[in-house]
Amino acid sequence: MAVADPAAETETKRLGVFNQLFRFIIIGGGCAIIDAGVYAILLSLGLPNWTSKAVSFILGTTASYLINRKFTFSGASTGNAKAKAVAFAAVYGVTFFVNVGTNQLLYVTLPDFNEQFRYAVCWVVAQGLGTLINFVMLKWVVFRD
């Protein structure tokens, strides 16, 4: 039987909102690289914008969830694991549509003067909005202490 490390548990519980936000942003930056890389690769393979963004979002989000669950939110290891999984799925389901929808809406409304710049703006705005929604919902709904 494994025994939890009390020092690690205490450190995680002591994390304030700013430390959690800092960790979330650092981890999110790494996962955003996954998202952006997959998005660029799929676009270069000729997949449609919305498909490329959908697949890249799912891969980046999965990595983010797994890492943040372990290193950012102390509430991840407490309570009903099934309820947390359902809440996570609901949050990321909404965020998925907000992210992909924002990306596509910007893509069809921005002028086509530079395609790479256009894709970059779409990705950055959608990613920023998704990150904000995810942090708030994970912190205060899914992994609340």
Side-chain angles (χ1 to χ4, degrees), residues 30-134:
C31 296
I33 291 170
I34 293 169
D35 186 329
V38 170
Y39 182 60
I41 289 167
L42 296 177
L43 287 171
S44 73
L45 294 174
L47 270 69
N49 180 60
W50 70 270
T51 304
S52 300
K53 184 58 185 149
V55 172
S56 71
F57 175 86
I58 291 167
L59 293 176
T61 296
T62 301
S64 175
Y65 171 74
L66 294 172
I67 299 168
N68 276 306
R69 190 176 133 195
K70 175 126 175 97
F71 295 108
T72 305
F73 299 110
S74 59
S77 59
T78 62
N80 184 331
K82 287 182 184 178
K84 287 184 189 298
V86 169
F88 169 80
V91 166
Y92 277 89
V94 168
T95 306
F96 172 82
F97 288 106
V98 168
N99 192 302
V100 175
T102 300
N103 184 278
Q104 187 63 22
L105 179 64
L106 287 172
Y107 180 77
V108 299
T109 58
L110 287 174
D112 188 14
F113 62 91
N114 180 320
E115 194 70 4
Q116 287 182 333
F117 180 75
R118 186 171 160 203
Y119 282 127
V121 168
C122 295
W123 185 88
V124 167
V125 172
Q127 191 70 17
L129 184 58
T131 298
L132 176 65
I133 292 168
N134 286 342

Side-chain angles (χ1 to χ4, degrees), residues 5-26:
D5 180 9
E9 221 172 279
T10 303
E11 176 193 342
T12 303
K13 286 186 180 181
R14 277 191 240 157
L15 286 177
V17 69
F18 291 109
N19 285 331
Q20 286 179 324
L21 181 59
F22 178 76
R23 286 183 182 198
F24 189 79
I25 289 170
I26 296 300

